[in-house]
Amino acid sequence: DAGVIQSPRHEVTEMGQEVTLRCKPISGHNSLFWYRQTMMRGLELLIYFNNNVPIDDSGMPEDRFSAKMPNASFSTLKIQPSEPRDSAVYFCASTDPGQSSYNEQFFGPGTRLTVL
Amino acid sequence: LAKTTQPISMDSYEGQEVNITCSHNNIATNDYITWYQQFPSQGPRFIIQGYKTKVTNEVASLFIPADRKSSTLSLPRVSLSDTAVYYCLVGNKLSFGAGTTVTVRA
């Protein structure tokens, strides 16, 4: 398996622009997580899905952030409009509690977002 | 939601054993304890998980006392490549916190 796939790996944009980050979970995994990591705040959970349904989005910072999972093999995290303080590394992770150890999440390589 | 406390950083030398203790005083009965490792420019990677007593795998050992209010991750004979951030997590909701930055020197 190729693991969790994220695209793009790097994104540089200007303030006010829309940014879309993409994630393909490991095939067969039914839970998907979006995280954000910065030096100041560490690794924060933004939202997670079970069977394509958003379960907990309490970590989404504000209405500018939205996430979708239209099917089991694809998810997007969108920021509109983007701001410089959104600059961070965004990770996607997936898991299937039925197949792996409890809480064992598999992380993608991350997308490094820079908003100028 | 169980809160965890672990040291911000630890320094070690190659060949030594590194022990990182995590406090989780309000751990719930059903909560497992999970440790992740994160190298620079990579996502976190699962290392080990346990519920009580001792768990060992090819990477590390996890010691959990009877009251389960703390746990200790033990890395035997570390090498330079073990330099990373180590996170202690408790329960189902994955709150990573700042982790412990372990720096291994030659």
Side-chain angles (χ1 to χ4, degrees), chain A residues 3-59:
Chain A
V4 175
I5 299 173
Q6 291 187 245
S7 64
R9 293 293 309 276
H10 302 273
E11 175 82 23
V12 180
T13 190
E14 292 186 345
M15 182 174 61
Q17 297 298 306
E18 177 180 294
V19 174
T20 299
L21 311 181
R22 297 172 176 80
C23 175
K24 176 179 169 55
I26 293 173
S27 177
H29 283 189
N30 59 6
S31 295
L32 183 140
F33 305 75
W34 282 101
Y35 291 88
R36 177 174 68 175
Q37 186 169 39
T38 61
M39 288 292 292
M40 291 295 294
R41 302 176 68 91
L43 189 61
E44 306 171 278
L45 176 66
L46 299 178
I47 185 172
Y48 78 92
F49 296 82
N50 271 354
N51 295 315
N52 312 336
V53 176
I55 302 301
D56 184 355
D57 64 354
S58 59

Side-chain angles (χ1 to χ4, degrees), chain B residues 59-71:
Chain B
V59 177
S61 293
L62 179 60
F63 299 91
I64 305 168
D67 65 5
R68 302 197 334 117
K69 294 185 182 300
S70 67
S71 58

Side-chain angles (χ1 to χ4, degrees), chain A residues 78-106:
Chain A
K78 185 175 294 187
I79 309 172
Q80 167 64 19
S82 59
E83 297 181 2
R85 59 193 170 116
D86 301 330
S87 298
V89 180
Y90 291 81
F91 288 103
C92 175
S94 70
T95 189
D96 180 0
Q99 292 188 7
S100 63
S101 300
Y102 185 72
N103 278 352
E104 182 175 355
Q105 292 191 355
F106 297 82

Side-chain angles (χ1 to χ4, degrees), chain A residues 35 37 42-43 45 56 58 91 101-105 107-109, chain B residues 32 34 36 38 42-44 46 49 87 91-94 96-97:
Chain A
Y35 291 88
Q37 186 169 39
L43 189 61
L45 176 66
D56 184 355
S58 59
F91 288 103
S101 300
Y102 185 72
N103 278 352
E104 182 175 355
Q105 292 191 355
F107 281 75
Chain B
Y32 279 73
T34 310
Y36 281 76
Q38 185 178 23
Q42 295 185 25
F46 173 93
Q49 181 183 84
Y87 299 95
N92 197 23
K93 184 163 184 179
L94 297 192
F96 277 77

Side-chain angles (χ1 to χ4, degrees), chain B residues 4 8 11 29 40 49 56 60 82-83 93 96-97 101 104-105:
Chain B
T4 60
I8 294 297
D11 288 343
T29 302
Q49 181 183 84
T56 297
D82 292 316
T83 294
K93 184 163 184 179
F96 277 77
T101 299
V104 181
R105 307 181 193 281

